Short mmCIF file of all heavy atoms in Angstrom, two decimals:
data_model
loop_
_atom_site.label_atom_id
_atom_site.label_comp_id
_atom_site.label_asym_id
_atom_site.label_seq_id
_atom_site.Cartn_x
_atom_site.Cartn_y
_atom_site.Cartn_z
N ALA A 1 -115.92 68.06 -71.60
CA ALA A 1 -115.38 67.01 -72.46
C ALA A 1 -116.47 66.44 -73.36
O ALA A 1 -116.25 66.21 -74.55
CB ALA A 1 -114.77 65.90 -71.61
N GLU A 2 -117.64 66.23 -72.80
CA GLU A 2 -118.75 65.67 -73.58
C GLU A 2 -119.19 66.63 -74.69
O GLU A 2 -119.43 66.22 -75.82
CB GLU A 2 -119.92 65.37 -72.64
CG GLU A 2 -121.07 64.67 -73.29
CD GLU A 2 -122.15 64.33 -72.28
OE1 GLU A 2 -121.80 63.81 -71.19
OE2 GLU A 2 -123.33 64.59 -72.58
N GLN A 3 -119.25 67.91 -74.37
CA GLN A 3 -119.64 68.93 -75.35
C GLN A 3 -118.62 68.98 -76.49
O GLN A 3 -118.98 69.09 -77.66
CB GLN A 3 -119.77 70.29 -74.66
CG GLN A 3 -120.18 71.43 -75.56
CD GLN A 3 -118.99 72.23 -76.05
OE1 GLN A 3 -117.92 72.25 -75.45
NE2 GLN A 3 -119.17 72.87 -77.18
N LEU A 4 -117.34 68.88 -76.16
CA LEU A 4 -116.30 68.92 -77.18
C LEU A 4 -116.33 67.67 -78.06
O LEU A 4 -116.20 67.76 -79.28
CB LEU A 4 -114.92 69.07 -76.52
CG LEU A 4 -113.73 69.22 -77.44
CD1 LEU A 4 -113.88 70.44 -78.35
CD2 LEU A 4 -112.45 69.32 -76.64
N ARG A 5 -116.53 66.51 -77.46
CA ARG A 5 -116.62 65.27 -78.24
C ARG A 5 -117.79 65.32 -79.23
O ARG A 5 -117.69 64.82 -80.35
CB ARG A 5 -116.78 64.06 -77.31
CG ARG A 5 -115.49 63.55 -76.74
CD ARG A 5 -115.67 62.20 -76.07
NE ARG A 5 -116.70 62.20 -75.05
CZ ARG A 5 -116.48 62.38 -73.75
NH1 ARG A 5 -115.27 62.58 -73.31
NH2 ARG A 5 -117.49 62.35 -72.90
N ALA A 6 -118.89 65.93 -78.81
CA ALA A 6 -120.06 66.01 -79.67
C ALA A 6 -119.82 66.91 -80.89
O ALA A 6 -120.46 66.73 -81.92
CB ALA A 6 -121.26 66.52 -78.87
N ALA A 7 -118.89 67.86 -80.77
CA ALA A 7 -118.66 68.83 -81.84
C ALA A 7 -117.49 68.46 -82.75
O ALA A 7 -117.17 69.23 -83.65
CB ALA A 7 -118.42 70.21 -81.23
N THR A 8 -116.86 67.30 -82.52
CA THR A 8 -115.65 66.96 -83.27
C THR A 8 -115.71 65.55 -83.83
O THR A 8 -116.65 64.80 -83.56
CB THR A 8 -114.40 67.10 -82.36
OG1 THR A 8 -114.58 66.27 -81.21
CG2 THR A 8 -114.19 68.54 -81.93
N SER A 9 -114.66 65.19 -84.54
CA SER A 9 -114.59 63.84 -85.13
C SER A 9 -114.10 62.84 -84.09
O SER A 9 -113.74 63.20 -82.98
CB SER A 9 -113.63 63.85 -86.33
OG SER A 9 -112.29 63.91 -85.87
N ASN A 10 -114.03 61.58 -84.51
CA ASN A 10 -113.57 60.54 -83.59
C ASN A 10 -112.05 60.54 -83.43
O ASN A 10 -111.53 59.77 -82.63
CB ASN A 10 -114.07 59.16 -84.03
CG ASN A 10 -113.58 58.80 -85.42
OD1 ASN A 10 -112.89 59.57 -86.09
ND2 ASN A 10 -113.95 57.61 -85.86
N ARG A 11 -111.33 61.38 -84.18
CA ARG A 11 -109.88 61.52 -83.97
C ARG A 11 -109.58 62.20 -82.63
O ARG A 11 -108.56 61.95 -82.01
CB ARG A 11 -109.24 62.35 -85.09
CG ARG A 11 -109.00 61.63 -86.38
CD ARG A 11 -108.24 62.51 -87.35
NE ARG A 11 -108.82 63.83 -87.50
CZ ARG A 11 -109.77 64.14 -88.35
NH1 ARG A 11 -110.27 63.23 -89.15
NH2 ARG A 11 -110.24 65.38 -88.42
N LEU A 12 -110.47 63.10 -82.21
CA LEU A 12 -110.27 63.84 -80.97
C LEU A 12 -110.67 62.96 -79.79
O LEU A 12 -111.73 62.36 -79.79
CB LEU A 12 -111.11 65.12 -80.97
CG LEU A 12 -110.91 66.01 -79.76
CD1 LEU A 12 -110.80 67.47 -80.19
CD2 LEU A 12 -112.03 65.85 -78.76
N GLN A 13 -109.78 62.88 -78.80
CA GLN A 13 -110.05 62.13 -77.58
C GLN A 13 -109.95 63.08 -76.40
O GLN A 13 -109.10 63.97 -76.40
CB GLN A 13 -109.05 60.99 -77.41
CG GLN A 13 -109.11 59.97 -78.53
CD GLN A 13 -108.04 58.90 -78.34
OE1 GLN A 13 -107.62 58.62 -77.24
NE2 GLN A 13 -107.62 58.31 -79.44
N THR A 14 -110.80 62.90 -75.43
CA THR A 14 -110.78 63.78 -74.26
C THR A 14 -110.34 63.01 -73.02
O THR A 14 -110.47 61.79 -72.94
CB THR A 14 -112.17 64.39 -74.00
OG1 THR A 14 -113.10 63.34 -73.76
CG2 THR A 14 -112.62 65.25 -75.17
N VAL A 15 -109.81 63.77 -72.07
CA VAL A 15 -109.39 63.23 -70.79
C VAL A 15 -109.62 64.32 -69.75
O VAL A 15 -109.56 65.52 -70.06
CB VAL A 15 -107.90 62.79 -70.83
CG1 VAL A 15 -106.98 63.97 -71.07
CG2 VAL A 15 -107.51 62.04 -69.58
N LEU A 16 -109.91 63.92 -68.52
CA LEU A 16 -110.11 64.89 -67.45
C LEU A 16 -108.76 65.20 -66.81
O LEU A 16 -107.99 64.28 -66.48
CB LEU A 16 -111.09 64.36 -66.41
CG LEU A 16 -112.51 64.12 -66.91
CD1 LEU A 16 -113.40 63.63 -65.78
CD2 LEU A 16 -113.09 65.39 -67.52
N LEU A 17 -108.48 66.49 -66.63
CA LEU A 17 -107.20 66.92 -66.06
C LEU A 17 -107.41 68.11 -65.15
O LEU A 17 -108.00 69.12 -65.56
CB LEU A 17 -106.21 67.30 -67.18
CG LEU A 17 -104.90 67.96 -66.73
CD1 LEU A 17 -104.06 67.01 -65.88
CD2 LEU A 17 -104.11 68.44 -67.94
N ASP A 18 -106.93 67.99 -63.94
CA ASP A 18 -106.86 69.11 -62.99
C ASP A 18 -105.38 69.44 -62.84
O ASP A 18 -104.63 68.66 -62.24
CB ASP A 18 -107.49 68.71 -61.66
CG ASP A 18 -107.39 69.81 -60.61
OD1 ASP A 18 -106.87 70.91 -60.92
OD2 ASP A 18 -107.83 69.56 -59.47
N VAL A 19 -104.95 70.57 -63.38
CA VAL A 19 -103.51 70.90 -63.39
C VAL A 19 -102.97 71.21 -62.00
O VAL A 19 -101.75 71.33 -61.83
CB VAL A 19 -103.19 72.05 -64.37
CG1 VAL A 19 -103.50 71.67 -65.79
CG2 VAL A 19 -103.89 73.34 -63.97
N THR A 20 -103.84 71.32 -61.00
CA THR A 20 -103.36 71.55 -59.63
C THR A 20 -103.15 70.25 -58.87
O THR A 20 -102.71 70.27 -57.73
CB THR A 20 -104.34 72.44 -58.84
OG1 THR A 20 -105.60 71.77 -58.73
CG2 THR A 20 -104.55 73.78 -59.53
N SER A 21 -103.44 69.12 -59.50
CA SER A 21 -103.32 67.81 -58.85
C SER A 21 -102.20 67.00 -59.50
O SER A 21 -102.27 66.65 -60.68
CB SER A 21 -104.64 67.05 -58.97
OG SER A 21 -104.47 65.70 -58.66
N SER A 22 -101.18 66.67 -58.73
CA SER A 22 -100.07 65.87 -59.25
C SER A 22 -100.53 64.49 -59.68
O SER A 22 -100.03 63.95 -60.68
CB SER A 22 -98.97 65.73 -58.19
OG SER A 22 -98.39 66.99 -57.91
N LYS A 23 -101.48 63.92 -58.97
CA LYS A 23 -102.00 62.60 -59.36
C LYS A 23 -102.72 62.67 -60.70
O LYS A 23 -102.53 61.82 -61.57
CB LYS A 23 -102.94 62.04 -58.29
CG LYS A 23 -103.47 60.66 -58.65
CD LYS A 23 -104.48 60.17 -57.66
CE LYS A 23 -105.06 58.81 -57.97
NZ LYS A 23 -105.03 58.34 -59.32
N SER A 24 -103.51 63.71 -60.89
CA SER A 24 -104.22 63.89 -62.16
C SER A 24 -103.23 64.06 -63.30
O SER A 24 -103.40 63.48 -64.38
CB SER A 24 -105.16 65.10 -62.07
OG SER A 24 -105.83 65.29 -63.29
N ILE A 25 -102.18 64.82 -63.09
CA ILE A 25 -101.16 65.03 -64.12
C ILE A 25 -100.45 63.72 -64.44
O ILE A 25 -100.22 63.39 -65.61
CB ILE A 25 -100.17 66.13 -63.69
CG1 ILE A 25 -100.89 67.48 -63.64
CG2 ILE A 25 -98.97 66.19 -64.63
CD1 ILE A 25 -100.08 68.60 -63.02
N ALA A 26 -100.11 62.95 -63.41
CA ALA A 26 -99.45 61.66 -63.63
C ALA A 26 -100.36 60.70 -64.40
O ALA A 26 -99.90 59.99 -65.31
CB ALA A 26 -99.02 61.05 -62.30
N ASP A 27 -101.64 60.68 -64.04
CA ASP A 27 -102.60 59.81 -64.75
C ASP A 27 -102.72 60.20 -66.21
O ASP A 27 -102.76 59.35 -67.10
CB ASP A 27 -103.97 59.86 -64.08
CG ASP A 27 -103.98 59.22 -62.69
OD1 ASP A 27 -103.02 58.49 -62.36
OD2 ASP A 27 -104.96 59.46 -61.96
N VAL A 28 -102.79 61.50 -66.49
CA VAL A 28 -102.92 61.97 -67.87
C VAL A 28 -101.63 61.69 -68.65
O VAL A 28 -101.68 61.32 -69.82
CB VAL A 28 -103.30 63.47 -67.92
CG1 VAL A 28 -103.14 64.04 -69.31
CG2 VAL A 28 -104.72 63.65 -67.42
N THR A 29 -100.49 61.82 -68.00
CA THR A 29 -99.22 61.50 -68.67
C THR A 29 -99.18 60.04 -69.10
O THR A 29 -98.79 59.73 -70.23
CB THR A 29 -98.03 61.82 -67.74
OG1 THR A 29 -98.06 63.21 -67.40
CG2 THR A 29 -96.71 61.49 -68.39
N ALA A 30 -99.62 59.14 -68.23
CA ALA A 30 -99.68 57.72 -68.60
C ALA A 30 -100.68 57.50 -69.72
O ALA A 30 -100.42 56.71 -70.64
CB ALA A 30 -100.05 56.88 -67.37
N TRP A 31 -101.82 58.18 -69.66
CA TRP A 31 -102.85 58.06 -70.70
C TRP A 31 -102.31 58.54 -72.04
O TRP A 31 -102.50 57.88 -73.07
CB TRP A 31 -104.08 58.88 -70.28
CG TRP A 31 -105.21 58.86 -71.22
CD1 TRP A 31 -106.19 57.91 -71.33
CD2 TRP A 31 -105.53 59.85 -72.21
NE1 TRP A 31 -107.08 58.26 -72.31
CE2 TRP A 31 -106.70 59.44 -72.86
CE3 TRP A 31 -104.93 61.04 -72.60
CZ2 TRP A 31 -107.29 60.19 -73.89
CZ3 TRP A 31 -105.50 61.79 -73.62
CH2 TRP A 31 -106.67 61.35 -74.25
N VAL A 32 -101.60 59.65 -72.04
CA VAL A 32 -101.01 60.19 -73.28
C VAL A 32 -99.95 59.22 -73.81
O VAL A 32 -99.89 58.94 -75.01
CB VAL A 32 -100.42 61.59 -73.06
CG1 VAL A 32 -99.60 62.05 -74.26
CG2 VAL A 32 -101.52 62.60 -72.77
N ARG A 33 -99.12 58.69 -72.94
CA ARG A 33 -98.07 57.75 -73.35
C ARG A 33 -98.69 56.53 -74.04
O ARG A 33 -98.17 56.04 -75.05
CB ARG A 33 -97.25 57.32 -72.14
CG ARG A 33 -95.99 56.55 -72.50
CD ARG A 33 -95.15 56.20 -71.28
NE ARG A 33 -94.67 57.39 -70.59
CZ ARG A 33 -95.02 57.74 -69.35
NH1 ARG A 33 -95.86 56.98 -68.64
NH2 ARG A 33 -94.56 58.83 -68.79
N ASP A 34 -99.82 56.05 -73.52
CA ASP A 34 -100.52 54.92 -74.16
C ASP A 34 -101.03 55.29 -75.54
O ASP A 34 -101.04 54.46 -76.44
CB ASP A 34 -101.69 54.46 -73.29
CG ASP A 34 -101.25 53.76 -72.03
OD1 ASP A 34 -100.07 53.33 -71.95
OD2 ASP A 34 -102.07 53.65 -71.10
N ARG A 35 -101.48 56.53 -75.71
CA ARG A 35 -102.05 56.96 -76.99
C ARG A 35 -100.99 57.20 -78.05
O ARG A 35 -101.18 56.84 -79.20
CB ARG A 35 -102.87 58.25 -76.83
CG ARG A 35 -104.06 58.18 -75.91
CD ARG A 35 -105.07 57.16 -76.38
NE ARG A 35 -106.23 57.01 -75.52
CZ ARG A 35 -106.28 56.31 -74.40
NH1 ARG A 35 -105.20 55.73 -73.92
NH2 ARG A 35 -107.41 56.18 -73.73
N VAL A 36 -99.88 57.82 -77.68
CA VAL A 36 -98.89 58.23 -78.68
C VAL A 36 -97.83 57.17 -78.94
O VAL A 36 -97.22 57.16 -80.01
CB VAL A 36 -98.21 59.57 -78.31
CG1 VAL A 36 -99.24 60.66 -78.17
CG2 VAL A 36 -97.36 59.45 -77.07
N GLY A 37 -97.60 56.29 -77.99
CA GLY A 37 -96.61 55.22 -78.16
C GLY A 37 -95.22 55.76 -78.41
O GLY A 37 -94.80 56.76 -77.82
N ASP A 38 -94.49 55.09 -79.31
CA ASP A 38 -93.11 55.49 -79.61
C ASP A 38 -93.03 56.75 -80.46
O ASP A 38 -91.97 57.33 -80.61
CB ASP A 38 -92.39 54.35 -80.34
CG ASP A 38 -92.17 53.16 -79.44
OD1 ASP A 38 -92.10 53.36 -78.21
OD2 ASP A 38 -92.07 52.03 -79.95
N GLN A 39 -94.16 57.15 -81.02
CA GLN A 39 -94.18 58.32 -81.89
C GLN A 39 -93.93 59.61 -81.13
O GLN A 39 -93.36 60.56 -81.66
CB GLN A 39 -95.53 58.38 -82.61
CG GLN A 39 -95.59 59.39 -83.70
CD GLN A 39 -96.92 59.31 -84.42
OE1 GLN A 39 -97.91 58.85 -83.88
NE2 GLN A 39 -96.93 59.76 -85.64
N GLY A 40 -94.36 59.68 -79.89
CA GLY A 40 -94.17 60.89 -79.09
C GLY A 40 -95.28 61.90 -79.30
O GLY A 40 -96.21 61.70 -80.07
N LEU A 41 -95.17 63.00 -78.60
CA LEU A 41 -96.16 64.06 -78.61
C LEU A 41 -95.64 65.23 -79.44
O LEU A 41 -94.67 65.87 -79.07
CB LEU A 41 -96.45 64.49 -77.17
CG LEU A 41 -97.61 65.43 -76.92
CD1 LEU A 41 -98.93 64.81 -77.37
CD2 LEU A 41 -97.68 65.77 -75.43
N TRP A 42 -96.28 65.50 -80.57
CA TRP A 42 -95.81 66.53 -81.50
C TRP A 42 -96.05 67.93 -80.96
O TRP A 42 -95.32 68.85 -81.28
CB TRP A 42 -96.50 66.33 -82.85
CG TRP A 42 -95.94 67.16 -83.94
CD1 TRP A 42 -94.69 67.10 -84.47
CD2 TRP A 42 -96.62 68.18 -84.67
NE1 TRP A 42 -94.55 68.03 -85.48
CE2 TRP A 42 -95.73 68.70 -85.62
CE3 TRP A 42 -97.91 68.70 -84.61
CZ2 TRP A 42 -96.07 69.71 -86.50
CZ3 TRP A 42 -98.25 69.70 -85.50
CH2 TRP A 42 -97.34 70.20 -86.43
N GLY A 43 -97.07 68.09 -80.13
CA GLY A 43 -97.35 69.41 -79.58
C GLY A 43 -98.01 69.34 -78.23
O GLY A 43 -98.83 68.47 -77.97
#
């Protein structure tokens, strides 16, 4: 995540996700919901 942030603009945001962990997926879903708001996730 740190390496990717260093190579991109401030529009890109990183989050840690382990796709084998239901808790991690739930946490990332809440994080994404906070970022996108009512607009939703385009992709």
Side-chain angles (χ1 to χ4, degrees):
E2 186 176 314
Q3 180 264 337
L4 184 59
R5 278 192 305 265
T8 56
S9 74
N10 59 359
R11 281 186 310 272
L12 184 136
Q13 298 177 27
T14 60
V15 64
L16 296 181
L17 171 64
D18 177 3
V19 296
T20 63
S21 165
S22 295
K23 181 185 179 337
S24 179
I25 293 171
D27 291 345
V28 168
T29 300
W31 180 83
V32 170
R33 191 177 298 115
D34 289 343
R35 299 299 179 280
V36 302
D38 292 334
Q39 189 176 24
L41 190 61
W42 190 64

